Amino acid sequence: MATEYKSCVFGRQPFVGSLREGATMGDVVPADVASPTRLEGKTMAIVYCWFFGLGSLVSWNSMLTISDYYYALFPDYHPSRVLTLVYQPFAFGTMAILAFYEAKIDTRKRNIFGYILFCLSTFGLLIIDLATSGRGGIGNYLGICVLVAAFGVADAHVQGGMVGDLSFMCPEFIQSFFAGLAASGALTSGLRLITKAAFDKTNHGLRKGVVLFLAISTFLEFLCIFLYAFVFAKLPIVKHFRRKAALEGSTTVAADLAAAGIRTSHSGNDDAKQERLSNKQLLMQNIDYAIDLYLIYVLTLSIFPGFLYENTGTHKLGSWYAVVLVAMYNVWDLIGRYIPLIECIKLESRKGLMIAILSRFALIPAFYFTAKYGDQGWMIFLVSFLGLTNGHLTVCVLTAAPKGYKAPEQNALGNLLVLFLLGGIFSGVALDWLWIIGNGTF
């Protein structure tokens, strides 16, 4: 039977979580640390987590959203598929290394490095476009591929680092972070629709919209660097959870605590506090959650974005069609990530999650036959449903999995789950090529 304990304060009411079987109350930090009478800054922390999520994907989502521009420059190189395939091996490979050495890596340096790399790479795309005046060619294409690979490395640093860090804080922080990830897609899609409408009939209108996109993305990445480095660590609620994590044996939070003016010392004779489950043990206990995330993103990325740009045919919306489809996916993905805040419809059953995730694979024949025989209304509906289920199920899995573990274990588990998420994305991107191979258009 699980033992109940207080682990997170929501306003004035403490959140009640469960302690994993085999653990004891001795594994939890003392009451004066675990349940302070008041923690300030929770609302602002949720807002900052949203911005950090936004910054984690805004650059990459900008690339996806302006794919129509790259198709105009590089019509023979399948930009949406190739750039995604370049991005994912670097993200997955880097994440695998970081997940293995997670306990020895300074989370603060890891996250700041990731956001700086995002900022510089996005600025690099802007420089390439301005320096070449928007010309195509294999040289420019290879330069873009190099910067996209840097996006992958940055994504592994930021997404794994942030999820691991937020896993031992409030579940709402993780939900807000992943809502920010989806918001980056919705924001870029909205801006793309606006810039396409504003510049579509002007000279070099497509390129003007792209330059604006990349400039905004660069600024947002810089904002994330500033907020994480100088503001987030000093919030009282964040200091509380990181101090609690340090007392439970976590060494990854030391630099963040130091930045907030808190010094930690680790007693050499307090071995019990340093004990934690190994990564293998954590993975075995949560293998269903890991498979859940893998399957969610295998399906999603086998359809989005490549299939939407290249395999949906020609319809009344013309050049707007793919842009509208991407926008609908991003908006409903964002909505889906807020649905778990409604407790009565939040899916927490491990078996229920697996059934729901496996059921999504019925979307593959649905997309195939709709692209072949259906009209644009049905395709928009399917894309919206794909986004809604992707966002909802992702948040349900990532908020349920870390409950009941000690902070170092929650950090490690968060990194492992992100590894499987990126593995699913990588596999989905590779499988996405089957759509054009099957059509004989490769």
Side-chain angles (χ1 to χ4, degrees), residues 71-389:
Y71 272 99
L73 292 183
F74 314 107
D76 299 325
Y77 300 145
H78 303 285
S80 70
R81 285 188 162 104
V82 171
L83 294 179
T84 308
L85 194 58
V86 169
Y87 178 94
Q88 294 306 329
F90 284 91
F92 181 74
T94 304
M95 187 64 231
I97 296 171
L98 293 174
F100 184 79
Y101 293 105
E102 159 274 327
K104 301 177 182 179
I105 297 174
D106 186 320
T107 300
R108 180 177 177 82
K109 292 179 181 177
R110 171 180 175 175
N111 289 335
I112 292 176
F113 171 80
Y115 283 120
I116 290 175
L117 186 57
F118 266 133
C119 186
L120 294 178
S121 301
T122 309
F123 187 66
L125 287 175
L126 183 60
I127 293 299
I128 285 179
D129 192 82
L130 294 175
T132 61
S133 299
R135 291 192 298 270
I138 188 65
N140 294 343
Y141 192 64
L142 291 176
I144 292 171
C145 287
V146 170
L147 293 174
V148 167
F151 281 171
V153 175
D155 183 26
H157 278 80
V158 169
Q159 194 165 169
M162 289 301 302
V163 171
D165 203 23
L166 299 178
S167 290
F168 56 76
M169 301 186 195
C170 292
E172 290 150 308
F173 291 180
I174 286 188
Q175 181 277 326
S176 184
F177 177 78
F178 275 89
L181 291 176
S184 67
L187 174 65
T188 53
S189 292
L191 287 173
R192 186 70 193 98
L193 292 171
I194 293 170
T195 55
K196 186 172 178 63
F199 300 126
D200 203 24
K201 303 300 182 181
T202 64
N203 292 331
H204 307 293
L206 195 59
R207 180 168 174 257
K208 291 177 182 177
V210 169
V211 170
L212 178 62
F213 255 79
L214 296 176
I216 292 173
S217 297
T218 303
F219 171 74
L220 290 174
E221 297 296 356
F222 179 78
L223 182 62
C224 286
I225 297 170
F226 175 79
L227 290 177
Y228 188 87
F230 301 108
V231 181
F232 186 66
K234 296 180 181 179
L235 293 175
I237 192 169
V238 174
K239 289 193 287 186
H240 158 68
F241 282 115
R242 284 176 172 163
R243 179 168 175 259
K244 176 175 176 285
L247 291 172
E248 290 179 347
S250 177
T251 59
T252 61
V253 297
D256 280 309
L257 286 173
I262 299 175
R263 300 293 175 182
T264 59
S265 60
H266 296 280
S267 174
N269 57 10
D270 196 2
D271 294 333
K273 191 177 291 184
Q274 305 298 329
E275 291 179 0
R276 48 154 283 189
L277 296 174
S278 67
N279 285 357
K280 182 178 180 180
Q281 290 172 316
L282 287 169
L283 183 58
M284 290 301 101
Q285 290 184 13
N286 296 276
I287 190 64
D288 56 327
Y289 287 133
I291 293 173
D292 284 345
L293 287 171
Y294 179 83
L295 294 177
I296 289 171
Y297 285 89
V298 161
L299 175 68
T300 299
L301 270 293
S302 67
I303 297 169
F304 177 88
F307 176 86
L308 303 184
Y309 274 103
E310 297 188 15
N311 299 93
T312 52
T314 303
H315 294 272
K316 294 178 182 177
L317 288 171
S319 64
W320 286 82
Y321 188 48
V323 177
V324 170
L325 290 178
V326 171
M328 293 305 296
Y329 170 86
N330 285 323
V331 168
W332 283 98
D333 185 34
L334 174 61
I335 293 171
R337 295 180 190 226
Y338 279 101
I339 291 177
L341 292 177
I342 307 172
E343 289 294 331
C344 61
I345 58 175
K346 182 180 179 181
L347 188 57
E348 294 185 296
S349 165
R350 298 174 84 139
K351 186 180 293 185
L353 283 168
M354 182 63 75
I355 292 172
I357 289 164
L358 291 175
S359 299
R360 293 177 81 233
F361 280 85
L363 288 171
I364 292 178
F367 271 97
Y368 175 79
F369 287 111
T370 300
K372 200 166 186 178
Y373 305 110
D375 62 19
Q376 59 191 24
W378 284 107
M379 183 60 72
I380 291 172
F381 169 77
L382 283 178
V383 169
S384 300
F385 185 75
L386 178 72
L388 180 70
T389 54

